[in-house]
């Protein structure tokens, strides 16, 4: 394990359940892989831009001359994409917001899902280029989505698994921090998730 990329999304600082569980996982990973570089990317501190016309052209053009002239506009996406490609393990610690992922995480995804870098079209299909990587998702939510009537409302884990699979990351484990808004579950949610983190196959 050479590099671990840990992405935190919640803006709630010390009150954040997903950040708290990410701390537990970071400590375990540091113990297990003391020589690995742990890259922490905090999407609440760093406001990534939404794709505009020029960035979109810069990161999707297949014309080398145009790519050269738009190099500057592609720089942030290049940096984030390289960081992902250089990592052996990706950790995404995120809240569920309005049944999906926060826009800050979607902005990161839009910058790293790149034709020619993390995927390419081949033989009428798609080839993921972010090979030989694992991912761990830490997902905090107010309700419960792993079972029961709200399960079909979960657009976080299915989406993240699908988009990671699209770029070639298919070995994905998830720890849910569920019931943060339910009085009967809230107190136990983080300790339960911390225990699940201790039991992850790493
Ligand atoms: C803007 C916003 C939207 C939310 N939407 C949902 C939701 O759709 N479903 C849900 O179960 N919880 C929802 N919650 C609750 C959070 O998922 C919950 O508080 C979780 O602990 C947030 O993660 P964090 O503690 O790491 O910030 C929402 C919270 C906020 C602030």
């Amino acid at each position: 394990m050479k590099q671990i990329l840990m992405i935190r999304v919640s803006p709630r600082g010390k009150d954040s359940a997903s950040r708290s569980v990410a701390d537990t996982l970071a400590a375990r990973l540091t113990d297990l892989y003391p020589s690995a570089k742990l890259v922490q990317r905090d999407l609440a501190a760093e406001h990534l831009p939404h794709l505009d016309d020029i960035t979109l052209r810069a990161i999707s053009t297949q014309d080398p001359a145009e790519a050269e002239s738009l190099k500057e506009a592609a720089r942030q996406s290049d940096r984030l994409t390289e960081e992902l490609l250089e990592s052996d393990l990706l950790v995404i610690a995120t809240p569920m917001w309005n049944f999906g992922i926060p826009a800050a995480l979607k902005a990161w995804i839009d910058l790293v899902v790149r034709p020619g870098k993390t995927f390419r079209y081949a033989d009428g299909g798609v080839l993921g280029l972010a090979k030989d990587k694992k991912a761990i998702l830490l997902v905090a939510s107010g309700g419960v989505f792993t079972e029961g009537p709200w399960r079909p409302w979960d657009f976080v884990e299915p989406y993240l698994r699908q988009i990671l699979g699209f770029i070639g990351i298919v070995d994905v484990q998830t720890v849910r921090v569920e019931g943060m808004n339910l009085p009967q579950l809230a107190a136990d949610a983080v300790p339960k998730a911390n225990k699940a983190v201790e039991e992850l196959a790493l």
Side-chain angles (χ1 to χ4, degrees):
M1 181 83 68
K2 286 209 295 280
Q3 181 165 301
I4 298 160
L5 173 58
M6 183 171 272
I7 293 184
R8 297 172 193 239
V9 183
S10 173
R12 299 198 315 125
K14 288 198 184 329
D15 293 334
S16 160
S18 57
R19 280 177 184 268
S20 166
V21 177
D23 287 342
T24 305
L25 179 56
R28 198 177 160 213
L29 288 168
T30 310
D31 268 1
L32 277 173
Y33 304 106
S35 60
K37 182 175 173 197
L38 178 58
V39 178
Q40 299 268 10
R41 190 152 288 287
D42 187 342
L43 301 187
E46 178 184 17
H47 295 274
L48 296 176
H50 292 180
L51 293 177
D52 57 13
D53 179 35
I54 187 123
T55 314
L56 197 49
R57 272 193 288 137
I59 68 175
S60 53
T61 180
Q62 300 302 311
D63 171 3
E66 188 178 35
E68 180 59 30
S69 71
L70 296 174
K71 213 163 61 183
E72 199 49 46
R75 203 173 292 285
Q76 189 166 34
S77 168
D78 285 347
R79 182 173 58 89
L80 294 170
T81 305
E82 287 311 311
E83 183 175 84
L84 171 63
L85 289 172
E86 284 164 8
S87 301
D88 308 294
L89 173 65
L90 167 69
V91 177
I92 299 178
T94 185
M96 171 186 280
W97 277 4
N98 301 316
F99 307 104
I101 58 169
L105 178 55
K106 182 60 166 48
W108 178 82
I109 289 171
D110 288 343
L111 289 165
V112 301
V113 177
R114 280 191 55 181
K117 289 214 184 262
T118 51
F119 76 93
R120 73 181 166 83
Y121 296 105
D123 303 328
V126 171
L127 192 62
L129 302 176
K131 290 280 180 208
D132 304 320
K133 300 182 195 313
K134 295 182 178 189
I136 298 172
L137 310 176
L138 308 175
V139 181
S141 54
V144 171
F145 296 87
T146 52
E147 57 181 18
W150 289 96
R151 199 173 171 168
W153 289 73
D154 179 15
F155 294 93
V156 177
E157 186 176 345
Y159 170 68
L160 288 175
R161 283 181 176 274
Q162 203 77 18
I163 194 68
L164 292 176
F166 181 79
I167 59 170
I169 306 175
V170 291
D171 185 339
V172 181
Q173 301 183 79
T174 306
V175 171
R176 304 290 297 231
V177 197
E178 295 196 291
M180 291 305 297
N181 290 354
L182 301 173
Q184 70 278 24
L185 296 180
D188 261 358
V190 169
K192 228 171 114 180
N194 281 336
K195 190 162 176 290
V197 162
E198 298 298 344
E199 288 162 5
L200 281 174
L202 296 175

